[in-house]
Amino acid sequence: MPGLDLTNQSPHHLHPTLPLPSASNLILIDNYDSFTWNVYQYLVLEGAAVTVYRNDEVTVEELLAKNPTQLVVSPGPGHPDVDTGISSEAISQFSGKIPVLGVCMGEQCIFSVFGGRVEATGEILHGKTSPLRHDSKGVYRGLPQDLPVTRYHSLAGTHTSLPECLEVSSWIANGPDGGKGIIMGVRHKVFVIEGVQFHPESILTAEGRSMLKNFLSMRGGTWAENEALERELKPPSIKNGITDPFSMDMSSPGESETSQKESILEKIYRHRSLAVEAQKLIPSQRPSDLQASYDLSISPPQISFPDRLKKSPYALSLMAEIKRASPSKGIISLSTCAPAQARKYALAGASVISVLTEPEWFKGSIDDLRAVRQSLEGMPNRPAVLRKEFIFEEYQILEARLAGADTILLIVKMLDEDTLFRLYHYSQQLEMEPLIEVNTVEEMDIAVKLGARVIGVNNRNLTNFEVDLDTTSRLMQNVPRETVVCALSGITGSADVKAYKDNGVGAVLVGEALMRAEDTTTFINELLGNSETPGRQSDQNSVLVKICGTRTPEAAEVAIKAGADLIGIILVEGRTRYVPREDALAISKVVHETSKWQHNPTINASLDESPRATEYFDHSSGSLRHPDRALLVGVFRNQSLSLVLTQQKLLSLDVVQLHGSEPIEWANLIPVPVIRRFGPEDPGLGRRGFHALPLLDSALGGTGKALDLAAVRKALDLDDGLHIVLAGGLAPDNVENTIKQLRGYGCRLAAVDVSSGVEDNGSQSLSKIRSFVTAAKKAQRLKG
């Protein structure tokens, strides 16, 4: 800039400061830029212990496991949305948890992550210095105005797209009145996140080291937490042995030296309260936003927690917990996929799935709970879902209900009686009976007085985190008979639960031991004793046979008498195998009046309710079996829903098959089971709660083109609960061998479907129909 001296601002005498305990594990993400090493130098000179990772050579999960004290995202070439590897994801993950700083490209990532647009500024700057105006806060604290700073950029965040949660912290003066020109820095209004568009590490930038020093002095994940930590929070007072978190106030530096040591529960409460307050400021997550969503009745359907807790295939009910880490054990399993773990627990006989949603000490989130609930969709007799969290206000309860929780945890030690009473009854208003956690006789008395239907006795003292497994047994005598008592924490093996069985405990909560178990089902059986495993009827293990493209009543009758289970008619005008209305009515009459070749009175026995949850497709495939007759399937392709519904009623269709690109949700609007066509790699193939079974076939169907069995196996391997109908290229001479090749998947090959394979010159061959059914039935699979 004219008149501005270019002065070397680098630290000529590289005297490092003493190591900073608060910056003992700073992570610097390198966006493949040479300036990264200058940033590294300045940070180290200011006392930080820095580890550098390239943006494509580390995962966010690995960064989380390293438990960094700060995160810095370096400059780099390109655009923040496409050229920064994990930088944006890392910013999102660490927001609100630790201080975050973005430099140049890193600042643009911050701008983009929170919803802003990064666009061309109209000029390309390379090594240009400009005078900087700033708000004297954050990294600019104590620094003069019009500092010369070095700029290497052609992109910047735009004023018009500035996210509501960000504020401009520095800028290039524009015009004679010094208005805000190009954005040179942004700061999050709630989280400790700073971004600078210029290069503080450049030798031409004044006070660059001071800016990084200011950043390193920041602590905590939110500005409120940063301020509180600076002034040393006084821990909550203890009243009658019960922590009163609502009595916290700020202590002076002199008082903090003599104040009582903060317990882990108090520390977690303090962090969560600050985080919740920050979250409530975010548009879409404000209390009014949550209430508006709830009023739309979009919360997932719920079940009764106390009632589900009383149903178990074991002598004691199991509350199986998803827990990635804990204050007492540290990291347990960061790589755990919460919804996958939930399905394992459900099918192993868990009555409740407890999902820890606390992010700092337990590495969980409300997103885990939401995904767990989705993973159980459509599962008969699914477990109840518990949000295990440090809950202290209604906002968290409403958030849990919207995410799909059936119940929530209220910790007596953490709440005064008035607050506990208020939250308990608010949860009941949302039709969620809470789990009330106690640890002492006094707390048990409070829970009983409250009228709690389910009380959990924590064997772990939340003040010192010591475990005493006798705690539950000692407190049982104070509990009304109708109340379900659950033993929580510290349970690792069958010896730990024996006394609970004898004393009338209703359930045990197990977390760490389950998370570490190599075989979940085996461990649970060893822990709680052999369960009542529902037996599967042999008829449920036979391959269903569907004869599709049926055009005459005669062909339908021959197929049924040969043993076919499903008769398909094409109801798509213009297709070769289209069946007109009068012919379709005649075929429907034959299907509904012709008895099967063999009567199967117990065919639906496995659909009876069991105390154990059942895989959705294991259950839904039973809806395609009838003990006395075949079922009529109407095949549609890209027709209107109203037409499908009209035809289903007119022809008395037992099953509807959708063979086009119809929305998956239509299955819930059609009053009979739905078979839907997919390719082996199509999304939505294993979506639970909608289609009764997916049919794997080519896009058009009826072409005689065989599917690649390797692709079919891959689909089944990726989802061990998936059941399928197999079509495409099947014929009397290959169906038996095809079934045998997939025998290792047991009952998951639910049915085979043939159309062109039983035709001669475009017309159905009655002899081929008989041969196909005979060959398919001959290839009975082994028990799944």
Side-chain angles (χ1 to χ4, degrees):
M1 188 172 184
L4 185 67
D5 293 332
L6 298 181
T7 305
N8 184 344
Q9 307 283 354
S10 64
H12 304 288
H13 304 288
L14 304 180
H15 297 304
T17 62
L18 294 174
L20 289 174
S22 61
S24 60
N25 187 23
L26 185 148
I27 285 179
L28 171 59
I29 296 179
D30 175 21
N31 283 306
Y32 285 85
D33 194 277
S34 59
F35 271 113
T36 300
W37 302 104
N38 301 73
V39 176
Y40 173 88
Q41 180 191 39
Y42 273 29
L43 291 169
V44 170
L45 288 173
E46 290 303 327
V50 182
T51 305
V52 182
Y53 295 95
R54 286 274 171 88
N55 67 22
D56 57 356
E57 295 180 356
V58 67
T59 66
V60 171
E61 182 177 89
E62 289 169 341
L63 293 183
L64 286 166
K66 296 180 186 301
N67 197 25
T69 52
Q70 293 92 1
L71 175 70
V72 177
V73 181
S74 84
H79 194 281
D81 292 344
V82 294
D83 299 308
T84 57
I86 64 158
S87 297
S88 294
E89 186 182 356
I91 291 168
S92 296
Q93 285 290 331
F94 288 106
S95 294
K97 299 174 183 176
I98 59 174
V100 176
L101 173 67
V103 178
C104 198
M105 175 76 85
E107 184 266 2
Q108 294 172 8
C109 286
I110 292 170
F111 203 91
S112 178
V113 162
F114 291 102
R117 296 193 308 274
V118 176
E119 300 177 351
T121 61
E123 57 180 342
I124 299 174
L125 301 173
H126 190 83
K128 175 182 173 62
T129 58
S130 302
L132 184 78
R133 295 286 176 89
H134 56 78
D135 62 6
S136 300
K137 301 175 184 177
V139 294
Y140 310 108
R141 186 169 58 181
L143 302 183
Q145 296 291 334
D146 295 319
L147 289 168
V149 296
T150 312
R151 299 166 62 189
Y152 289 81
H153 68 104
S154 60
L155 304 173
T158 62
H159 284 283
T160 55
S161 72
L162 179 71
E164 178 65 27
C165 62
L166 298 182
E167 59 187 7
V168 175
S169 57
S170 62
W171 59 94
I172 300 301
N174 183 28
D177 60 351
K180 292 183 179 180
I182 293 176
I183 296 173
M184 284 289 103
V186 292
R187 178 183 303 114
H188 200 283
K189 294 178 181 178
V190 176
F191 303 146
V192 182
I193 299 177
E194 294 260 10
V196 294
Q197 177 63 74
F198 56 91
H199 287 253
E201 75 286 359
S202 168
I203 62 173
L204 299 180
T205 296
E207 301 293 344
R209 254 185 89 169
S210 298
M211 296 177 195
L212 294 183
K213 180 179 180 180
N214 282 338
F215 169 73
L216 292 176
S217 70
M218 300 171 187
R219 299 167 63 191
T222 66
W223 293 114
E225 186 178 3
N226 177 65
E227 181 181 358
L229 288 170
E230 284 183 346
R231 292 190 288 172
E232 291 293 332
L233 272 176
K234 181 180 179 181
S237 64
I238 307 296
K239 296 180 179 179
N240 300 322
I242 300 174
T243 306
D244 181 8
F246 301 94
S247 67
M248 293 191 300
D249 58 7
M250 304 295 183
S251 60
S252 68
E255 291 173 327
S256 66
E257 296 176 4
T258 58
S259 64
Q260 180 181 340
K261 184 179 179 181
E262 190 177 37
S263 74
I264 185 64
L265 178 61
E266 293 162 346
K267 186 174 183 180
I268 292 173
Y269 167 79
R270 174 165 54 81
H271 280 235
R272 293 304 292 142
S273 61
L274 291 169
V276 169
E277 286 306 309
Q279 180 178 319
K280 287 159 64 176
L281 298 176
I282 300 172
S284 81
Q285 298 187 53
R286 298 168 299 186
S288 59
D289 298 323
L290 267 59
Q291 186 61 49
S293 296
Y294 181 77
D295 291 342
L296 290 173
S297 299
I298 62 174
S299 302
Q302 61 197 130
I303 61 176
S304 167
F305 164 54
D307 292 346
R308 185 62 182 88
L309 196 58
K310 295 174 183 177
K311 298 176 184 177
S312 175
Y314 304 99
L316 286 180
S317 293
L318 174 66
M319 304 172 72
E321 187 157 88
I322 297 172
K323 178 164 63 174
R324 295 191 179 92
S326 74
S328 60
K329 299 295 183 178
I331 299 299
I332 297 171
S333 178
L334 281 181
S335 62
T336 292
C337 172
Q341 190 78 356
R343 282 187 182 169
K344 287 182 183 178
Y345 288 164
L347 297 176
S351 300
V352 177
I353 295 175
S354 168
V355 186
L356 275 152
T357 61
E358 193 283 324
E360 293 184 72
W361 283 269
F362 295 91
K363 308 302 180 187
S365 71
I366 194 69
D367 290 330
D368 282 336
L369 188 142
R370 188 175 291 109
V372 163
R373 177 62 183 85
Q374 290 172 350
S375 75
L376 305 177
E377 193 67 39
M379 183 177 285
N381 203 25
R382 69 168 177 86
V385 178
L386 161 70
R387 182 185 190 183
K388 197 173 182 191
E389 173 64 277
F390 299 86
I391 289 177
F392 43 82
E393 61 173 82
E394 288 86 348
Y395 176 86
Q396 297 165 287
I397 301 175
L398 183 57
E399 181 186 42
R401 179 75 283 275
L402 284 167
D406 299 297
T407 182
I408 50 102
L409 175 71
L410 295 176
I411 304 173
V412 174
K413 185 180 292 294
M414 204 180 82
L415 305 167
D416 62 67
E417 287 194 51
D418 289 342
T419 303
L420 176 65
F421 182 88
R422 190 183 77 244
L423 296 182
Y424 178 78
H425 289 284
Y426 176 74
S427 182
Q428 286 185 319
Q429 289 174 22
L430 302 185
E431 298 186 359
M432 293 192 296
E433 177 68 28
L435 170 65
I436 307 299
E437 179 182 310
V438 303
N439 178 251
T440 66
V441 172
E442 292 79 12
E443 291 169 11
M444 178 62 85
D445 290 342
I446 292 173
V448 171
K449 177 183 175 183
L450 187 66
R453 295 176 60 191
V454 184
I455 299 175
V457 180
N458 197 339
N459 296 310
R460 190 186 305 279
N461 186 308
L462 291 180
T463 301
N464 56 29
F465 265 61
E466 294 180 356
V467 174
D468 179 0
L469 293 180
D470 291 333
T471 304
T472 301
S473 299
R474 285 198 302 269
L475 300 184
M476 284 292 296
Q477 60 185 3
N478 300 336
V479 182
R481 178 175 297 179
E482 64 273 13
T483 303
V484 179
V485 175
C486 312
L488 316 179
S489 293
I491 299 165
T492 60
S494 57
D496 297 332
V497 301
K498 186 178 184 303
Y500 298 145
K501 292 180 183 178
D502 298 338
N503 290 340
V505 170
V508 292
L509 184 144
V510 185
E512 180 192 352
L514 268 177
M515 294 291 289
R516 297 187 190 277
E518 293 184 8
D519 186 320
T520 302
T521 302
T522 299
F523 177 84
I524 291 173
N525 278 327
E526 292 174 351
L527 181 74
L528 298 176
N530 291 329
S531 66
E532 301 170 8
T533 304
R536 182 189 301 278
Q537 297 296 321
S538 60
D539 292 313
Q540 291 288 91
N541 288 323
S542 62
V543 181
L544 293 172
V545 178
K546 176 171 174 274
I547 303 298
C548 202
T550 304
R551 278 157 278 178
T552 66
E554 181 186 11
E557 185 175 5
V558 166
I560 295 169
K561 289 184 176 180
D565 304 281
L566 302 156
I567 304 299
I569 54 175
I570 308 301
L571 299 173
V572 185
E573 290 192 47
R575 296 299 300 273
T576 303
R577 300 178 180 89
Y578 169 67
V579 180
R581 173 178 173 176
E582 293 306 317
D583 292 342
L585 287 169
I587 293 172
S588 176
K589 187 174 187 301
V590 168
V591 171
H592 286 88
E593 294 180 358
T594 304
S595 297
K596 266 189 176 182
W597 66 297
Q598 181 177 345
H599 180 65
N600 296 303
T602 60
I603 202 163
N604 290 321
S606 67
L607 301 183
D608 292 340
E609 185 174 342
S610 162
R612 181 192 298 269
T614 309
E615 252 292 0
Y616 170 74
F617 288 120
D618 198 29
H619 172 83
S620 63
S621 60
S623 66
L624 302 180
R625 298 176 184 271
H626 194 284
D628 301 314
R629 63 175 178 85
L631 299 180
L632 181 63
V633 182
V635 181
F636 301 86
R637 186 173 188 273
N638 296 331
Q639 293 152 278
S640 69
L641 178 61
S642 61
L643 184 146
V644 172
L645 295 175
T646 299
Q647 291 285 71
Q648 185 278 321
K649 186 175 182 179
L650 173 69
L651 302 175
S652 298
L653 299 177
D654 299 301
V655 180
V656 164
Q657 180 174 317
L658 301 177
H659 212 88
S661 56
E662 299 87 353
I664 288 178
E665 296 96 321
W666 276 18
N668 285 345
L669 303 176
I670 296 171
V672 293
V674 170
I675 297 172
R676 191 182 190 281
R677 190 214 69 84
F678 291 89
E681 298 180 354
D682 285 351
L685 172 66
R687 190 72 163 86
R688 272 69 163 173
F690 294 94
H691 41 275
L693 281 177
L695 178 141
L696 299 188
D697 195 3
S698 61
L700 289 175
T703 63
K705 182 179 179 181
L707 287 178
D708 180 5
L709 285 186
V712 174
R713 290 190 186 94
K714 182 178 179 182
L716 291 168
D717 289 338
L718 287 173
D719 184 345
D720 60 10
L722 179 66
H723 293 216
I724 63 167
V725 178
L726 181 64
L730 296 178
D733 60 356
N734 66 14
V735 65
E736 181 178 354
N737 185 54
T738 299
I739 292 173
K740 287 179 178 178
Q741 289 187 62
L742 295 174
R743 179 170 286 167
Y745 295 97
C747 62
R748 296 169 61 200
L749 176 58
V752 290
D753 185 332
V754 65
S755 181
S756 62
V758 292
E759 293 178 348
D760 280 332
N761 300 319
S763 297
Q764 282 187 307
S765 165
L766 302 185
S767 62
K768 283 189 175 182
I769 289 174
R770 294 188 187 95
S771 297
F772 184 89
V773 176
T774 299
K777 292 295 181 179
K778 181 180 176 182
Q780 293 298 307
R781 69 174 72 87
L782 297 173
K783 249 188 179 181

